[in-house]
Amino acid sequence: MHTHSDRSRESKIPGRLLLSLAKQNGLQGIGICEQDAFPDETLYAHAAKLRLRLALGIEFSCKDSQIIGFGMDFSYTQRKALEKHFALIKKQMDEIVSLFVDRLHVWDSTVNLERVAAFAGKAPHPTFVLQYLVQERRMFPSLLNALQFIADENLDRDMSLADPFHPVEVVDLIHRAGGIAIWAHPMMTPLERQQPLMAKLVAADLDAVEVVYPYRENGYFGTESNEVLQARTLSLTKNVEILFSGGSDCKYPVSPFDGLRPMLPGEYGITSQEADLFGSVFQ
């Protein structure tokens, strides 16, 4: 329930190919949630041809967190407001990437925005900048090494989105649009804010928490294993009646931070029985 097509800035794979890849990988269903972008609803017809259950949604960038919404039916006013918000995020991301590349240019004069964009094949995300350094320039053996260098040199300072949504605000928006809200990869939220945010989200009737998730492969900066982080996520849900979600955060063919082989849809996820608990979000 957590994959991305090329409508997301960090992914390159067209939606129809992602569905075919999911089918080839033996999945019965898949959830595609685009990063601050509306999904391609024509994919429902292609999924039906493949006899693949499909849920389409949005992964909203929020303050210190990400919230995924599935099964939403926005009003005209809601959609127009979101289109404006997503356009603002795109503009900010373009500025962040430009700033990031300028800082890296000081270390390697061959690194420039044109080359990074050509490598990405689209408007680049900071992840593609790191990919360029590792795969094209061979400056680092892995994305984690590149990420460590960026942190050590403080090259990622002042690179967060301005005025993001509050996660509780997004949960309310998703519910008003008739959807379900999932807190994605909670352990990516700063440790001291996890419990307070969980309490606020539960009070807002959060529907699910993403428990099964490959943190190491997706740039988690600590030393804990995926299993330890998943156990900590479960501890957040103690004494709370809430659904469990999961997914790989697949951005095929982009390789993960911890390793070189691209993540495939279905490598991390939930069972078909668990998916049934999410009701009509799958078609």
Side-chain angles (χ1 to χ4, degrees):
M1 291 190 71
H2 192 164
T3 63
H4 301 283
S5 81
D6 59 0
R7 288 206 172 193
S8 292
R9 190 149 179 163
E10 285 186 81
S11 181
K12 292 185 178 183
I13 187 169
R16 289 167 66 95
L17 290 181
L18 180 59
L19 293 178
S20 297
L21 188 61
K23 185 68 175 180
Q24 293 168 16
N25 212 31
L27 298 191
Q28 294 178 307
I30 185 173
I32 301 175
C33 52
E34 307 298 9
Q35 298 164 314
D36 301 307
F38 292 103
D40 178 5
E41 296 195 0
T42 67
L43 293 178
Y44 282 123
H46 188 62
K49 291 179 182 178
L50 296 175
R51 297 184 179 179
L52 193 67
R53 298 171 68 190
L54 174 63
L56 291 176
I58 299 171
E59 183 175 8
F60 295 89
S61 296
C62 302
K63 182 176 176 58
D64 295 326
S65 60
Q66 305 284 117
I67 301 293
I68 296 172
F70 283 113
M72 298 167 291
D73 183 15
F74 294 112
S75 68
Y76 176 84
T77 301
Q78 289 172 326
R79 189 175 183 91
K80 285 299 180 182
L82 283 174
E83 286 175 354
K84 183 177 180 180
H85 180 76
F86 293 159
L88 179 61
I89 288 179
K90 181 182 182 302
K91 181 176 182 294
Q92 290 184 34
M93 191 59 68
D94 288 341
E95 294 169 351
I96 286 171
V97 169
S98 180
L99 175 62
F100 191 26
V101 170
D102 285 347
R103 289 172 178 171
L104 288 167
H105 184 77
V106 175
W107 290 87
D108 183 341
S109 61
T110 68
V111 177
N112 59 50
L113 193 58
E114 291 75 18
R115 286 174 174 165
V116 173
F119 169 80
K122 60 190 300 186
H125 182 276
T127 299
F128 283 123
V129 179
L130 297 179
Q131 291 266 345
Y132 175 80
L133 298 179
V134 173
Q135 297 180 9
E136 187 74 12
R137 293 294 302 135
R138 306 290 182 182
M139 291 173 64
F140 305 96
S142 73
L143 289 177
L144 279 179
N145 292 115
L147 199 61
Q148 183 66 61
F149 169 78
I150 299 303
D152 290 345
E153 298 298 330
N154 198 26
L155 298 180
D156 56 352
R157 63 189 183 278
D158 304 322
M159 283 176 47
S160 57
L161 294 173
D163 196 27
F165 280 132
H166 190 282
V168 171
E169 178 186 8
V170 170
V171 171
D172 178 63
L173 171 66
I174 292 168
H175 286 163
R176 283 189 284 113
I180 64 164
I182 303 169
W183 183 9
H185 39 69
M187 294 297 106
M188 292 293 196
T189 295
L191 180 62
E192 69 277 6
R193 298 174 189 170
Q194 291 169 10
Q195 287 284 2
L197 179 55
M198 182 65 180
K200 292 178 181 178
L201 291 173
V202 169
D205 293 326
L206 179 74
D207 299 285
V209 171
E210 189 172 56
V211 173
V212 182
Y213 185 80
Y215 284 93
R216 301 294 306 170
E217 290 83 349
N218 282 295
Y220 179 77
F221 218 42
T223 59
E224 303 95 323
S225 67
N226 288 333
E227 291 74 20
V228 167
L229 294 168
Q230 289 169 16
R232 287 185 184 173
T233 304
L234 280 173
S235 71
L236 283 176
T237 68
K238 188 177 181 180
N239 301 322
V240 177
E241 289 190 15
I242 200 164
L243 297 175
F244 294 161
S245 182
S248 64
D249 209 348
C250 168
K251 306 176 184 76
Y252 192 88
V254 176
S255 61
F257 282 80
D258 189 8
L260 296 176
R261 184 181 64 79
M263 296 283 292
L264 296 173
E267 290 196 29
Y268 288 78
I270 58 177
T271 67
S272 58
Q273 290 79 13
E274 290 170 325
D276 288 339
L277 298 176
F278 286 88
S280 60
V281 299
F282 282 95
Q283 294 187 23

